[in-house]
Amino acid sequence: MQLVVENLACARGAAQILSGVVFSVAAGDALILRGPNGAGKTTLLRTLAGLTPPLEGHIRTAPEAIAYAGHADGLKASLTVAENLSFWARVFGADDISDAVDAFDLNDFLDRKAGELSAGQKRRLSLARLLVTRRPVWCLDEPTVSLDTANVARFAAAVQAHLAGGGSAVIATHIDLGLPGARTLDITPFVAKRIRADDPFGDEAFR
């Protein structure tokens, strides 16, 4: 198995958000997370990625297997598209960015600074970084935000290629990406009562 989750409980700060989460994702498979806004999809993905420690349970996968893409684009505005991708490639021990450039049609923007890109172009660059990580498990939080129809299709094609190469993906999205054989997990049954009922902000800003 690429990723096995057993009895996982997740929290944001003092508030427990999810409990008893159980699922597995094999090589070549995609799991689509569903649930209403605020149900805890982002909290779950951040926990899987190691950004938030779980309250209990286990996340079983190979070391350094997970690549996470959240709401923030995470780009260096003063660097060009090519420099941003090359930087992340070096972080993950790679030097070839051509596949990432081709997958997200970035050839025309390689010499443009990231800060000069449109919102959709920034999103394409941000998602292109997934390819240079060479990590087998992608955890993606609403990845198609700011993408037009053509680039949603381009992203879906990149995910399909990743799966065909033996990778796997866990994706929080309300869009039908047309991924063959993708399973859906509604996380609503795993929503837990908050530890702190007096939290005036809830978890809306972090999900």
Side-chain angles (χ1 to χ4, degrees):
M1 286 291 180
Q2 292 276 68
L3 177 66
V4 177
V5 173
E6 301 171 336
N7 195 37
L8 192 67
C10 308
R12 194 280 300 171
Q16 181 172 347
I17 306 302
L18 300 169
S19 65
V21 181
V22 177
F23 66 84
S24 62
V25 186
D29 288 348
L31 181 69
I32 308 300
L33 300 180
R34 301 288 195 195
N37 291 339
K41 299 183 293 294
T42 293
T43 299
L44 174 57
L45 288 168
R46 287 177 59 84
T47 303
L48 296 178
L51 300 175
T52 303
L55 294 177
E56 61 182 38
H58 300 282
I59 302 167
R60 305 191 188 280
T61 190
E64 304 297 324
I66 294 176
Y68 171 73
H71 293 161
D73 290 325
L75 305 174
K76 185 69 173 177
S78 61
L79 297 182
T80 66
V81 168
E83 289 168 341
N84 268 281
L85 279 178
S86 295
F87 169 79
W88 285 107
R90 289 192 298 272
V91 167
F92 291 97
D95 54 16
D96 185 7
I97 64 171
S98 58
D99 287 346
V101 170
D102 291 342
F104 288 91
D105 193 24
L106 297 171
N107 283 285
D108 291 342
F109 313 117
L110 288 177
D111 295 327
R112 189 179 302 178
K113 291 184 178 180
E116 300 171 353
L117 301 177
S118 70
Q121 291 164 348
K122 288 177 181 177
R123 194 61 174 167
R124 285 155 60 189
L125 174 55
S126 179
L127 293 171
R129 296 182 305 166
L130 290 166
L131 276 70
V132 303
T133 70
R134 301 186 298 181
R135 292 190 169 185
V137 183
W138 290 359
C139 289
L140 312 177
D141 193 3
E142 299 293 349
T144 59
V145 171
S146 300
L147 295 183
D148 58 21
T149 301
N151 284 299
V152 169
R154 184 170 282 116
F155 165 73
V159 175
Q160 289 187 38
H162 176 66
L163 301 180
S168 60
V170 181
I171 309 172
T173 180
H174 296 286
I175 293 178
D176 182 2
L177 296 172
L179 300 175
R183 294 180 294 122
T184 299
L185 176 66
D186 185 350
I187 69 168
T188 305
F190 303 115
V191 174
K193 293 182 179 179
R194 289 181 178 149
I195 294 173
R196 280 183 51 199
D198 62 341
D199 183 350
F201 300 103
D203 197 50
E204 292 298 326
F206 294 87
R207 296 183 187 174

